[in-house]
């Protein structure tokens, strides 16, 4: 493999075209943003552009697991009760704020971090993307595992492609 890829920094492959959300926005708004922009996660930023959390599809899946357990218990009950439960659940989850579901402990990186270090951090912390933050926690971009894999594939020797 070309040694040049080991010298590359996060800033050379990160996405700068970001879709973000405010902690006070509703989960319904977050889901709409994710769907419209075809993204699986949203950085949560405050008014100054500082990253204060992250809402990912994994966070939303956790909510559905809890819902699934409740639905399983209700399977034996009458249909009208089950329908009312689903209606209340939809209203409740959709109107919850992003702050209620977001991950506050954000695993992040800096723009000057080498790609292999960012990839190691992702593997170690079991995440698929890292917000790229400056020293004041302002969001500059996002680097995903796909971004890093693309860089490694593009720098592979011609015989390996």
């Amino acid at each position: 493999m070309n040694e040049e890829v080991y010298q590359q920094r996060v800033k050379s492959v990160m996405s700068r075209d970001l879709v973000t959300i405010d902690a006070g926005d509703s989960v319904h708004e977050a889901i709409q943003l994710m769907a419209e922009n075809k993204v699986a996660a949203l950085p949560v930023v405050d008014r100054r552009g500082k990253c204060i959390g992250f809402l990912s599809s994994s966070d939303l899946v956790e909510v559905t697991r809890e819902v699934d357990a409740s639905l399983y218990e209700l399977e034996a009950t009458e249909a009208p009760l089950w329908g009312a439960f689903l209606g209340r659940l939809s209203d409740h989850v959709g109107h919850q704020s992003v702050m209620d579901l977001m991950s506050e402990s954000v695993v992040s990186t800096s723009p000057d971090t080498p790609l292999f270090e960012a990839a190691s951090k992702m593997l170690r912390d079991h995440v698929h993307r890292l917000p790229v933050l400056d020293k004041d926690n302002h969001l500059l971009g996002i680097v995903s595992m796909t971004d890093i894999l693309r860089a490694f594939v593009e720098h592979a020797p011609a015989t390996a492609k």
Side-chain angles (χ1 to χ4, degrees):
M1 182 170 287
N2 188 333
E3 294 296 318
E4 182 180 313
V5 74
Y6 288 100
Q7 305 306 314
Q8 269 193 287
R9 305 295 174 176
V10 165
K11 64 185 169 191
S12 68
V13 301
M14 71 183 192
S15 299
R16 289 177 171 84
D17 187 21
L18 302 175
V19 180
T20 63
I21 195 156
D22 183 87
D25 289 344
S26 73
V27 171
H28 178 73
E29 290 171 294
I31 292 169
Q32 279 186 306
L33 268 177
M34 288 174 160
E36 289 169 5
N37 294 282
K38 297 178 176 71
V39 295
L42 295 169
V44 182
V45 296
D46 67 12
R47 287 183 173 83
R48 295 171 303 205
K50 289 187 178 187
C51 187
I52 60 168
F54 217 72
L55 181 69
S56 71
S57 55
S58 298
D59 297 319
L60 298 173
V61 166
E62 280 304 311
V63 171
T64 61
R65 282 190 183 136
E66 293 168 13
V67 170
D68 193 42
S70 297
L71 288 176
Y72 180 77
E73 292 173 13
L74 285 177
E75 279 184 359
T77 65
E78 296 179 31
L81 291 176
W82 193 75
F85 171 78
L86 284 178
R88 284 194 325 269
L89 177 69
S90 175
D91 288 343
H92 175 69
V93 171
H95 296 298
Q96 274 187 300
S97 73
V98 168
M99 183 175 278
D100 295 333
L101 297 182
M102 72 180 194
S103 299
E104 290 183 55
S105 59
V106 178
V107 180
S108 63
T109 192
S110 76
D112 292 318
T113 300
L115 290 183
F116 72 90
E117 284 183 27
S120 295
K121 186 179 278 194
M122 288 179 191
L123 289 170
R124 182 184 64 240
D125 293 316
H126 306 287
V127 296
H128 299 282
R129 65 199 60 77
L130 299 171
V132 182
L133 308 177
D134 68 12
K135 62 181 184 224
D136 295 319
N137 284 338
H138 289 102
L139 183 65
L140 303 174
I142 293 180
V143 64
S144 69
M145 191 59 81
T146 301
D147 296 329
I148 294 171
L149 285 172
R150 185 178 299 112
F152 277 85
V153 168
E154 287 172 358
H155 287 88
T159 56
K161 292 181 183 177

